[in-house]
Amino acid sequence: ESTEAWARDNRYEQLELIRKELNYDKIATGHHSNDQIETILQRISEKSGIGGFRGIHKRHGKIIRPILMISKLDIEKFVNELQIKYVDDETNKNLEIPRNYFRHRVIPQWESFYPNLGNSIQSICESAADNQSVIDYFIEELECEIVTDDKDTSSNKLIKRIKLSSFEKLPESVKVLLIRHILGKY
């Protein structure tokens, strides 16, 4: 696990403890459209599939991200106008971290050509989420059609059986999605 992933997981654990302690309904984060752009660039670098292009979700359990459509520049203008003090994490300047490289070297130049880049990326994320929900729906339906549950009498464990005659007729990409779905579920 990367240091960044570890820190993120720990931040969310701490926020969840605070949410419970104070009896709040939700946790709102400050993720903005530039964070979304960074995430998509990271996912492209990692050869993500369509699921990865959903980007940062607007909601995830008790976590909401209400300012995903607002650019970092607009937030900075607002903060400066109101003279709000904030802390900038020093590690955000480390260009050896891919996300920071995108943040400081790629995105500013890209935004200079396409000022609405954040909105464009958010549109891609929403489209990917819609497409993923269609894929998920049909994979669930397919599972119901060609996967059966049996019990192993010797161990009393549940066994998943795939109707091979139906499975063999599927395109390779659908076979992979179905197997990933089954493994992820069970």
Side-chain angles (χ1 to χ4, degrees), residues 161-178:
R161 296 194 190 277
I162 298 174
K163 294 178 191 170
L164 200 53
S165 60
S166 299
F167 184 76
E168 288 176 335
K169 294 176 187 173
L170 298 172
E172 288 300 314
S173 58
V174 176
K175 290 177 185 176
V176 170
L177 287 172
L178 179 61

Side-chain angles (χ1 to χ4, degrees), residues 14-77:
Q14 293 305 310
L15 288 171
E16 178 59 16
L17 290 173
I18 293 167
R19 185 195 69 76
K20 285 179 177 177
E21 180 182 320
L22 298 175
N23 200 30
Y24 290 158
D25 294 329
K26 304 280 183 210
I27 298 166
T29 70
H31 290 95
H32 47 74
S33 66
N34 291 68
D35 292 318
Q36 190 73 287
I37 297 167
E38 293 166 12
T39 298
I40 295 304
L41 289 173
Q42 188 73 33
R43 303 268 170 88
I44 289 168
S45 301
E46 295 165 353
K47 301 178 185 174
S48 175
I50 194 169
F53 291 118
R54 292 176 295 174
I56 301 171
H57 302 279
K58 290 179 184 176
R59 293 180 167 272
H60 182 74
K62 303 283 184 184
I63 298 166
I64 58 172
R65 299 177 178 100
I67 60 172
L68 270 177
M69 294 299 291
I70 301 173
S71 73
K72 180 179 180 179
L73 184 61
D74 287 342
I75 293 168
E76 287 173 344
K77 285 179 188 174

Side-chain angles (χ1 to χ4, degrees), residues 83-124:
Q83 298 178 344
I84 298 171
K85 292 182 181 181
Y86 65 93
V87 176
D88 193 7
D89 184 348
E90 284 296 314
T91 63
N92 287 337
K93 295 176 183 169
N94 181 351
L95 297 182
E96 292 180 13
I97 298 171
R99 181 176 291 275
N100 293 341
Y101 182 82
F102 296 140
R103 179 179 298 142
H104 296 289
R105 296 285 194 251
V106 177
I107 295 170
Q109 290 181 8
W110 200 3
E111 282 182 314
S112 71
F113 287 104
Y114 300 101
N116 289 321
L117 180 63
N119 292 334
S120 298
I121 294 293
Q122 188 60 38
S123 179
I124 289 169

